[in-house]
Amino acid sequence: VTTDRYAERRLRTLEAAEAAGLAGILVSPGPDLAYLTAYTPPPLERLTLLVLSAEADPTLVVPTLERPLAESATGAPDLTVREWRDGRDDPYAIVAGLLGPGRYAVADRTWASHLLALERAAVDRVFVAAGEAVPLLRAVKDADEIERLRAVANAADAAFADVIELRFAGRAETEIAAELDRLLREHGHQRVDFTIVGSGPNGASGHHEPGERRIQPGDAVVMDFGGMRDDYCSDITRTVFVGEPSDEEREVYAIVRAAQQAAFEAVRPGAAAQDVDRAARAVITEAGYGERFVHRTGHGIGLEVHEPPYIVEGNETPLEAGMTFSDEPGIYLQGRFGVRIEDQVAVTAQGAERLNEASRELTVVA
Ligand code: ZN
Ligand code: ZN
Ligand code: ZN
């Protein structure tokens, strides 16, 4: 990713902000700052803030001791850096001095303490959440981002292919979770963010924390796992069966798989995000399990594992080529078992492609 690309992203961001009636956007450490500058300091109590406004050159306000780090960020050699020193300068007054009149979007992950201090320093400005005002800033991925998402998705696929060779019966959920953690790293993840393993009745709880429950023959096991490689996130779910599944489990699995496929086939440029949710939900509702599909069909993925666009009823955002999000319907039968199947997909010029390639066939493990 070249320096030019970061400058272009900053320009596009400012244009989007202006189109949304904003005077600019304020970006604290986090995925938006990484996207716009390649600078990734930890969020701390000392203020670091990128100020993009029509009034001034793009300016990065940083604590003096972090100035060398900020100036070495690969995406930002051309940025103006304004330092502030402990005990001498008021960083919020410095930011206020860079702002003209009007409304400014503030990155969603900005600490409340920073925003409240900024509101006191700039009483006549209005601040709004960037996630509401300009939600799609990072939603359309370029070719390089899609390749990174595919690479990390395929690394998660490889972890799945390995884990189903292991013995499940008699082992604790936490042991399978630890195996997934190891396998994700083995296949190139630099960070593992979650390894959900929900066996039997625990599979009916969507974000179940793996516990000491021993996996039994006859269990359905929902595994939802992912992490990060080269800054981009993976997130995949597969449900496997320990020994031969019952007729009911087979039926529920087939319905979820058909719903996941229907959602995939609904993805194309110009379709609304909610159309994809409706396509999955129609299949599950017609099969009589509509009340048991208790979550949205998907979420965008990129530098964050959950980001816009959200694939949910009420979201009329038109899909565009380059958007990437999950397709993950599920059916949850409380006290008994759950089934979810999740792939990441990318919108293409004509339709969609899956970034995950792991098998969706019904899989029986030992
Ligand atoms: Zn989730
Ligand atoms: Zn997931
Ligand atoms: Zn997901």
mmCIF file of all heavy atoms in Angstrom, residues 44-73:
data_model
loop_
_atom_site.group_PDB
_atom_site.id
_atom_site.type_symbol
_atom_site.label_atom_id
_atom_site.label_comp_id
_atom_site.label_asym_id
_atom_site.label_seq_id
_atom_site.Cartn_x
_atom_site.Cartn_y
_atom_site.Cartn_z
ATOM 1 N N LEU A 44 -4.599 5.934 24.396
ATOM 2 C CA LEU A 44 -4.172 6.238 25.765
ATOM 3 C C LEU A 44 -4.860 7.510 26.248
ATOM 4 O O LEU A 44 -5.597 8.143 25.508
ATOM 5 C CB LEU A 44 -2.653 6.431 25.813
ATOM 6 C CG LEU A 44 -1.798 5.171 25.575
ATOM 7 C CD1 LEU A 44 -0.331 5.539 25.477
ATOM 8 C CD2 LEU A 44 -2.027 4.140 26.663
ATOM 9 N N GLU A 45 -4.567 7.865 27.513
ATOM 10 C CA GLU A 45 -5.178 9.054 28.103
ATOM 11 C C GLU A 45 -4.606 10.340 27.507
ATOM 12 O O GLU A 45 -5.247 11.388 27.541
ATOM 13 C CB GLU A 45 -5.021 9.034 29.633
ATOM 14 C CG GLU A 45 -3.649 9.383 30.176
ATOM 15 C CD GLU A 45 -2.582 8.333 29.890
ATOM 16 O OE1 GLU A 45 -2.925 7.265 29.359
ATOM 17 O OE2 GLU A 45 -1.394 8.598 30.187
ATOM 18 N N ARG A 46 -3.377 10.260 26.950
ATOM 19 C CA ARG A 46 -2.827 11.427 26.248
ATOM 20 C C ARG A 46 -3.468 11.502 24.868
ATOM 21 O O ARG A 46 -3.547 10.497 24.159
ATOM 22 C CB ARG A 46 -1.319 11.287 26.064
ATOM 23 C CG ARG A 46 -0.483 11.487 27.315
ATOM 24 C CD ARG A 46 0.971 11.591 26.894
ATOM 25 N NE ARG A 46 1.852 11.821 28.023
ATOM 26 C CZ ARG A 46 2.534 10.859 28.626
ATOM 27 N NH1 ARG A 46 2.430 9.606 28.230
ATOM 28 N NH2 ARG A 46 3.341 11.159 29.629
ATOM 29 N N LEU A 47 -3.862 12.708 24.466
ATOM 30 C CA LEU A 47 -4.605 12.841 23.203
ATOM 31 C C LEU A 47 -3.704 12.706 21.977
ATOM 32 O O LEU A 47 -2.697 13.409 21.845
ATOM 33 C CB LEU A 47 -5.313 14.201 23.141
ATOM 34 C CG LEU A 47 -6.177 14.385 21.876
ATOM 35 C CD1 LEU A 47 -7.446 13.539 21.964
ATOM 36 C CD2 LEU A 47 -6.513 15.851 21.647
ATOM 37 N N THR A 48 -4.080 11.780 21.089
ATOM 38 C CA THR A 48 -3.553 11.714 19.723
ATOM 39 C C THR A 48 -4.771 11.841 18.827
ATOM 40 O O THR A 48 -5.759 11.116 19.006
ATOM 41 C CB THR A 48 -2.852 10.366 19.463
ATOM 42 O OG1 THR A 48 -1.654 10.309 20.233
ATOM 43 C CG2 THR A 48 -2.511 10.199 17.975
ATOM 44 N N LEU A 49 -4.738 12.779 17.863
ATOM 45 C CA LEU A 49 -5.930 13.003 17.045
ATOM 46 C C LEU A 49 -5.541 13.513 15.662
ATOM 47 O O LEU A 49 -4.789 14.488 15.533
ATOM 48 C CB LEU A 49 -6.839 14.030 17.735
ATOM 49 C CG LEU A 49 -8.294 14.055 17.288
ATOM 50 C CD1 LEU A 49 -9.026 12.789 17.752
ATOM 51 C CD2 LEU A 49 -8.995 15.288 17.835
ATOM 52 N N LEU A 50 -6.056 12.844 14.645
ATOM 53 C CA LEU A 50 -5.911 13.333 13.270
ATOM 54 C C LEU A 50 -7.092 14.257 12.983
ATOM 55 O O LEU A 50 -8.247 13.871 13.183
ATOM 56 C CB LEU A 50 -5.909 12.155 12.289
ATOM 57 C CG LEU A 50 -5.956 12.517 10.795
ATOM 58 C CD1 LEU A 50 -4.664 13.202 10.353
ATOM 59 C CD2 LEU A 50 -6.216 11.269 9.952
ATOM 60 N N VAL A 51 -6.779 15.463 12.529
ATOM 61 C CA VAL A 51 -7.827 16.433 12.212
ATOM 62 C C VAL A 51 -7.878 16.608 10.698
ATOM 63 O O VAL A 51 -6.924 17.093 10.092
ATOM 64 C CB VAL A 51 -7.546 17.798 12.895
ATOM 65 C CG1 VAL A 51 -8.641 18.806 12.539
ATOM 66 C CG2 VAL A 51 -7.442 17.630 14.408
ATOM 67 N N LEU A 52 -8.971 16.170 10.106
ATOM 68 C CA LEU A 52 -9.192 16.391 8.673
ATOM 69 C C LEU A 52 -10.320 17.400 8.554
ATOM 70 O O LEU A 52 -11.449 17.129 8.952
ATOM 71 C CB LEU A 52 -9.611 15.088 7.970
ATOM 72 C CG LEU A 52 -8.614 13.935 7.942
ATOM 73 C CD1 LEU A 52 -9.203 12.752 7.178
ATOM 74 C CD2 LEU A 52 -7.288 14.353 7.317
ATOM 75 N N SER A 53 -9.989 18.575 8.030
ATOM 76 C CA SER A 53 -11.049 19.570 7.842
ATOM 77 C C SER A 53 -10.745 20.368 6.584
ATOM 78 O O SER A 53 -9.608 20.391 6.101
ATOM 79 C CB SER A 53 -11.153 20.498 9.059
ATOM 80 O OG SER A 53 -10.236 21.559 8.946
ATOM 81 N N ALA A 54 -11.797 20.990 6.064
ATOM 82 C CA ALA A 54 -11.628 21.787 4.853
ATOM 83 C C ALA A 54 -10.774 23.022 5.140
ATOM 84 O O ALA A 54 -10.184 23.602 4.239
ATOM 85 C CB ALA A 54 -12.995 22.191 4.322
ATOM 86 N N GLU A 55 -10.687 23.397 6.426
ATOM 87 C CA GLU A 55 -10.026 24.633 6.833
ATOM 88 C C GLU A 55 -8.510 24.586 6.787
ATOM 89 O O GLU A 55 -7.858 25.576 6.520
ATOM 90 C CB GLU A 55 -10.398 24.950 8.293
ATOM 91 C CG GLU A 55 -11.861 25.081 8.552
ATOM 92 C CD GLU A 55 -12.357 26.469 8.209
ATOM 93 O OE1 GLU A 55 -11.664 27.428 8.573
ATOM 94 O OE2 GLU A 55 -13.416 26.571 7.573
ATOM 95 N N ALA A 56 -7.957 23.406 7.102
ATOM 96 C CA ALA A 56 -6.509 23.335 7.320
ATOM 97 C C ALA A 56 -5.935 22.092 6.654
ATOM 98 O O ALA A 56 -6.673 21.198 6.246
ATOM 99 C CB ALA A 56 -6.224 23.282 8.825
ATOM 100 N N ASP A 57 -4.605 22.049 6.538
ATOM 101 C CA ASP A 57 -3.953 20.829 6.063
ATOM 102 C C ASP A 57 -4.258 19.710 7.045
ATOM 103 O O ASP A 57 -4.469 19.969 8.230
ATOM 104 C CB ASP A 57 -2.431 21.039 6.019
ATOM 105 C CG ASP A 57 -2.033 22.011 4.924
ATOM 106 O OD1 ASP A 57 -2.804 22.164 3.958
ATOM 107 O OD2 ASP A 57 -0.951 22.624 5.053
ATOM 108 N N PRO A 58 -4.249 18.468 6.557
ATOM 109 C CA PRO A 58 -4.433 17.352 7.495
ATOM 110 C C PRO A 58 -3.372 17.433 8.586
ATOM 111 O O PRO A 58 -2.181 17.576 8.282
ATOM 112 C CB PRO A 58 -4.227 16.109 6.623
ATOM 113 C CG PRO A 58 -4.402 16.562 5.215
ATOM 114 C CD PRO A 58 -4.047 18.016 5.179
ATOM 115 N N THR A 59 -3.811 17.397 9.835
ATOM 116 C CA THR A 59 -2.894 17.613 10.948
ATOM 117 C C THR A 59 -3.033 16.501 11.977
ATOM 118 O O THR A 59 -4.157 16.147 12.363
ATOM 119 C CB THR A 59 -3.189 18.970 11.622
ATOM 120 O OG1 THR A 59 -3.058 20.006 10.643
ATOM 121 C CG2 THR A 59 -2.216 19.234 12.775
ATOM 122 N N LEU A 60 -1.898 15.976 12.395
ATOM 123 C CA LEU A 60 -1.889 14.960 13.430
ATOM 124 C C LEU A 60 -1.391 15.614 14.721
ATOM 125 O O LEU A 60 -0.253 16.089 14.789
ATOM 126 C CB LEU A 60 -0.962 13.813 13.008
ATOM 127 C CG LEU A 60 -0.993 12.524 13.810
ATOM 128 C CD1 LEU A 60 -2.390 11.921 13.861
ATOM 129 C CD2 LEU A 60 -0.018 11.520 13.207
ATOM 130 N N VAL A 61 -2.277 15.686 15.716
ATOM 131 C CA VAL A 61 -1.926 16.263 17.013
ATOM 132 C C VAL A 61 -1.434 15.123 17.896
ATOM 133 O O VAL A 61 -2.150 14.136 18.098
ATOM 134 C CB VAL A 61 -3.147 16.968 17.638
ATOM 135 C CG1 VAL A 61 -2.821 17.503 19.028
ATOM 136 C CG2 VAL A 61 -3.635 18.103 16.717
ATOM 137 N N VAL A 62 -0.187 15.223 18.385
ATOM 138 C CA VAL A 62 0.401 14.109 19.145
ATOM 139 C C VAL A 62 1.154 14.616 20.374
ATOM 140 O O VAL A 62 1.671 15.728 20.384
ATOM 141 C CB VAL A 62 1.394 13.278 18.293
ATOM 142 C CG1 VAL A 62 0.694 12.627 17.117
ATOM 143 C CG2 VAL A 62 2.568 14.115 17.827
ATOM 144 N N PRO A 63 1.233 13.779 21.418
ATOM 145 C CA PRO A 63 2.095 14.122 22.545
ATOM 146 C C PRO A 63 3.553 14.189 22.073
ATOM 147 O O PRO A 63 3.947 13.402 21.210
ATOM 148 C CB PRO A 63 1.913 12.951 23.518
ATOM 149 C CG PRO A 63 0.763 12.147 23.007
ATOM 150 C CD PRO A 63 0.602 12.454 21.564
ATOM 151 N N THR A 64 4.324 15.123 22.653
ATOM 152 C CA THR A 64 5.709 15.310 22.221
ATOM 153 C C THR A 64 6.486 13.997 22.204
ATOM 154 O O THR A 64 7.220 13.718 21.262
ATOM 155 C CB THR A 64 6.422 16.314 23.169
ATOM 156 O OG1 THR A 64 5.712 17.547 23.105
ATOM 157 C CG2 THR A 64 7.862 16.529 22.763
ATOM 158 N N LEU A 65 6.299 13.183 23.243
ATOM 159 C CA LEU A 65 7.131 11.979 23.307
ATOM 160 C C LEU A 65 6.765 10.960 22.236
ATOM 161 O O LEU A 65 7.539 10.043 21.982
ATOM 162 C CB LEU A 65 7.095 11.364 24.720
ATOM 163 C CG LEU A 65 5.967 10.405 25.070
ATOM 164 C CD1 LEU A 65 6.306 9.678 26.368
ATOM 165 C CD2 LEU A 65 4.665 11.123 25.196
ATOM 166 N N GLU A 66 5.612 11.128 21.598
ATOM 167 C CA GLU A 66 5.236 10.180 20.536
ATOM 168 C C GLU A 66 5.478 10.747 19.139
ATOM 169 O O GLU A 66 5.195 10.086 18.136
ATOM 170 C CB GLU A 66 3.774 9.741 20.717
ATOM 171 C CG GLU A 66 3.619 8.843 21.940
ATOM 172 C CD GLU A 66 2.174 8.452 22.262
ATOM 173 O OE1 GLU A 66 1.313 8.596 21.381
ATOM 174 O OE2 GLU A 66 1.939 8.019 23.403
ATOM 175 N N ARG A 67 6.042 11.963 19.096
ATOM 176 C CA ARG A 67 6.240 12.587 17.789
ATOM 177 C C ARG A 67 7.123 11.754 16.846
ATOM 178 O O ARG A 67 6.771 11.571 15.669
ATOM 179 C CB ARG A 67 6.836 13.984 17.975
ATOM 180 C CG ARG A 67 7.041 14.679 16.661
ATOM 181 C CD ARG A 67 7.455 16.142 16.805
ATOM 182 N NE ARG A 67 7.383 16.742 15.483
ATOM 183 C CZ ARG A 67 7.064 18.002 15.232
ATOM 184 N NH1 ARG A 67 6.793 18.811 16.218
ATOM 185 N NH2 ARG A 67 7.015 18.445 14.001
ATOM 186 N N PRO A 68 8.249 11.219 17.328
ATOM 187 C CA PRO A 68 9.091 10.427 16.406
ATOM 188 C C PRO A 68 8.337 9.240 15.814
ATOM 189 O O PRO A 68 8.482 8.928 14.630
ATOM 190 C CB PRO A 68 10.248 9.959 17.298
ATOM 191 C CG PRO A 68 10.267 10.901 18.454
ATOM 192 C CD PRO A 68 8.852 11.315 18.668
ATOM 193 N N LEU A 69 7.539 8.592 16.659
ATOM 194 C CA LEU A 69 6.747 7.441 16.198
ATOM 195 C C LEU A 69 5.746 7.880 15.125
ATOM 196 O O LEU A 69 5.603 7.237 14.079
ATOM 197 C CB LEU A 69 5.993 6.885 17.414
ATOM 198 C CG LEU A 69 5.697 5.397 17.461
ATOM 199 C CD1 LEU A 69 6.976 4.593 17.353
ATOM 200 C CD2 LEU A 69 4.980 5.070 18.788
ATOM 201 N N ALA A 70 5.068 9.003 15.393
ATOM 202 C CA ALA A 70 4.057 9.494 14.447
ATOM 203 C C ALA A 70 4.702 9.856 13.116
ATOM 204 O O ALA A 70 4.165 9.578 12.050
ATOM 205 C CB ALA A 70 3.336 10.701 15.041
ATOM 206 N N GLU A 71 5.900 10.473 13.197
ATOM 207 C CA GLU A 71 6.548 10.910 11.960
ATOM 208 C C GLU A 71 7.096 9.747 11.151
ATOM 209 O O GLU A 71 7.370 9.896 9.968
ATOM 210 C CB GLU A 71 7.643 11.935 12.287
ATOM 211 C CG GLU A 71 7.016 13.268 12.658
ATOM 212 C CD GLU A 71 8.027 14.342 13.010
ATOM 213 O OE1 GLU A 71 9.148 13.984 13.454
ATOM 214 O OE2 GLU A 71 7.684 15.520 12.872
ATOM 215 N N SER A 72 7.241 8.576 11.790
ATOM 216 C CA SER A 72 7.754 7.426 11.044
ATOM 217 C C SER A 72 6.621 6.581 10.466
ATOM 218 O O SER A 72 6.871 5.580 9.791
ATOM 219 C CB SER A 72 8.654 6.577 11.943
ATOM 220 O OG SER A 72 7.873 5.997 12.974
ATOM 221 N N ALA A 73 5.358 6.967 10.721
ATOM 222 C CA ALA A 73 4.228 6.203 10.157
ATOM 223 C C ALA A 73 4.305 6.246 8.637
ATOM 224 O O ALA A 73 4.438 7.308 8.036
ATOM 225 C CB ALA A 73 2.904 6.791 10.643
#
